[in-house]
Every structure is written in C-alpha cells, then in structure tokens.
Amino acid sequence: MTSSALALVNVLAAEGGEGDSGFQSPTIEEFYPEPLVSFSLLGVDFAFTRITFILFLATALILALLVTAMRKPGIVPGKLQWLAESGYSVVRDGIARDVIGPKGLPFAPFLGSLFFFILANNAMSIVPALQISPMSKFAFPLVLAVFVWVLYNYVGIREQGAGKYFKDAAVPPGVPAAALILVTPIELLQVFVIRPFTLAVRLFANMFAGHMLLVVFSLGAVYLLQVGNFSVIFAPFSLLMAIIMTFFELLVIVLQAYVFTVLTATYLNGAVEPAH
C-alpha cells in the first residue's frame, strides 16, 4: 500500500472515535506529493518529489541490470544475459524489423531503450513501499511522446525532404481534390498533434487507472477490517480483488510498454517510407 494510502487509513482510524466519516477513496492529490527537496536555479523553481525519486530509481535499476548482463557476454549466455538479449530481440526483430522493415534496424537501440525505460517505470506500480509508476503522471509520458514526435518528423524530413514530407502528410494519396478542404486539416492535425497526444494519454491513463484501482481495493480491505460490525466479512473479498488486480496490472505493465514502442515504430515507418 502506498504511503498516502496508509496515511489515509490512519486518518480514518483517528476519526473513528469522533464519529465514522465513512470510506474515503484516494484522490489525485497522491500524484502531487510534497517535495523531498526543492530549490531555485536561475529564477526557476525545481522540486524533487517521491515520484521523481522512483523515476530515477527505476532508470538506475534497469541500467544496472542491462550493464551487468552484458558486461562479460558469453557464447553460452547466463541467466541475466539471456534475459537482456531476449528482451532486446523482441524489440529488434518483432518491432524494429517487422514494423519498419530493413530500414528499421538502426532504430532498434532507440526502441529498445524506450521499451526497457517504460517497462521499468511501469513495474514500480507493483513494487511494495513504492507502488506508483511515474508514467501515471501525465508529464512523463508527454515528454516521451514529444521525443518520439521530434524523431519521426526529423526522420521524415531527412528521408523524404521537407516539401514531400509535409505534402504527403497534408494530401493523402487517392483522395479527390474536392475532399481535400476537409481531409487536409484533419490529416495535419492527426500527424502533428493527435499522434503524440494520444501516445502520451494511452500510457498515462492505463497506469493512472491501474494505480487507483489497486489503492482503492487495498485501502478498502484495511477499512473494512477497522470499521467493525459485519463489514469484516467483506474484507477478504476486497483483499482478493487487490491481489487479482495486481496480476492484471502486471499484464498492463508489459503491454503498455510494448504498445508505446510499437506505435513509435509505426510512426517511424511512415516517416521512412512515404504513403503510396
């Protein structure tokens, strides 16, 4: 259970003597924790929060895992080397090569880094005492989506030339000239605005919802045990749902990292190979 959830349980317990106020579900305030460290630099205020700490921790752990796994690679891989190579092979062969094609192999390191970074941060949502993914705060998926947006537009301009790239984006092949007055604004909006926005929202929304569900069922089990009367009978059911949702969250953790990487590869494919 998260620290904020435990704090809420303590508040409920304290209020029990003054009159039960009922179950209080978690709010979005959990995603805006008090800064652990705050400072100003060149007139700009910075804050290092618990979520920022988790982001740095997840990044450090996945880097340590990959560096340790490939520090002394062998012809017959050990367990860590096999794990790292298998994960990278999924991205290189199953995403970079299959989605983008022969020109996709140079993008495999970027796609692999993106996949492992998101996977590690998503996994923090089920780690005891941490139990929140930085990707459940919209700013982090948005920054990743902006990186992807800059990359696929840069690649498209480099591979096709600025004129042809923007022309293909604005004028889809096979569309009648009379329909362009409607189609062109939609296509431009879709390529340059909707793509990065939906890419970020998809990852954020899934991790946000998963975190809230886990907290609600975990907090509900504790509350039902403390409230007394016949409510204690339902506490095991709430705890069981928390366990079930944890396993479901594990599936979401991997799936969202994979989907984000596949969509990035799809956008790069459209930039490398113009539409026909």
Side-chain angles (χ1 to χ4, degrees), residues 7-251:
L8 185 52
V9 169
N10 293 332
V11 170
L12 291 173
E15 291 178 347
E18 302 173 1
D20 186 14
S21 59
F23 176 75
Q24 297 181 19
S25 60
T27 67
I28 61 171
E29 291 181 2
E30 183 169 352
F31 298 92
Y32 299 91
E34 291 295 324
L36 301 175
V37 178
S38 58
F39 58 94
S40 296
L41 182 63
L42 300 176
V44 180
D45 294 331
F46 293 89
F48 189 86
T49 68
R50 174 173 167 267
I51 295 179
T52 313
F53 168 75
I54 294 173
L55 178 76
F56 278 85
L57 177 63
T59 305
L61 289 176
I62 195 64
L63 281 175
L65 173 65
L66 295 176
V67 170
T68 303
M70 302 307 296
R71 183 176 56 183
K72 294 180 180 180
I75 298 176
V76 179
K79 293 180 179 179
L80 280 180
Q81 183 182 342
W82 175 84
L83 181 64
E85 289 181 348
S86 298
Y88 182 70
S89 294
V90 169
V91 177
R92 181 193 62 197
D93 300 330
I95 299 179
R97 181 176 292 162
D98 289 352
V99 176
I100 304 176
K103 293 183 178 180
L105 291 181
F107 299 106
F110 170 76
L111 295 173
S113 300
L114 191 65
F115 174 78
F116 283 116
F117 177 78
I118 296 174
L119 182 65
N121 279 278
N122 284 354
M124 294 295 105
S125 63
I126 58 173
V127 174
L130 299 178
Q131 289 185 299
I132 188 170
S133 168
M135 298 302 146
S136 62
K137 192 164 182 177
F138 187 57
F140 295 112
L142 183 60
V143 169
L144 293 179
V146 169
F147 284 153
V148 172
W149 182 85
V150 170
L151 178 62
Y152 77 71
N153 281 298
Y154 167 75
V155 171
I157 293 172
R158 184 190 66 185
E159 295 292 323
Q160 304 178 37
K164 180 172 175 51
Y165 177 69
F166 288 109
K167 176 179 177 296
D168 287 345
V171 184
V175 176
L180 290 179
I181 191 172
L182 293 176
V183 173
T184 294
I186 295 174
E187 285 295 316
L188 290 175
L189 188 66
Q190 188 267 335
V191 172
F192 298 109
V193 178
I194 295 177
R195 274 185 184 178
F197 181 74
T198 56
L199 192 63
V201 168
R202 185 181 292 104
L203 176 57
F204 154 73
N206 279 278
M207 300 313 300
F208 178 91
H211 173 76
M212 295 298 283
L213 283 173
L214 288 176
V215 173
V216 164
F217 285 117
S218 300
L219 185 60
V222 175
Y223 175 79
L224 289 170
L225 286 172
Q226 292 186 349
V227 75
N229 301 324
F230 293 102
S231 299
V232 68
I233 300 175
F234 301 99
F237 295 100
S238 183
L239 180 60
L240 177 62
M241 282 302 301
I243 296 172
I244 293 173
M245 292 308 301
T246 298
F247 283 100
F248 180 74
E249 184 74 356
L250 181 60
L251 175 64

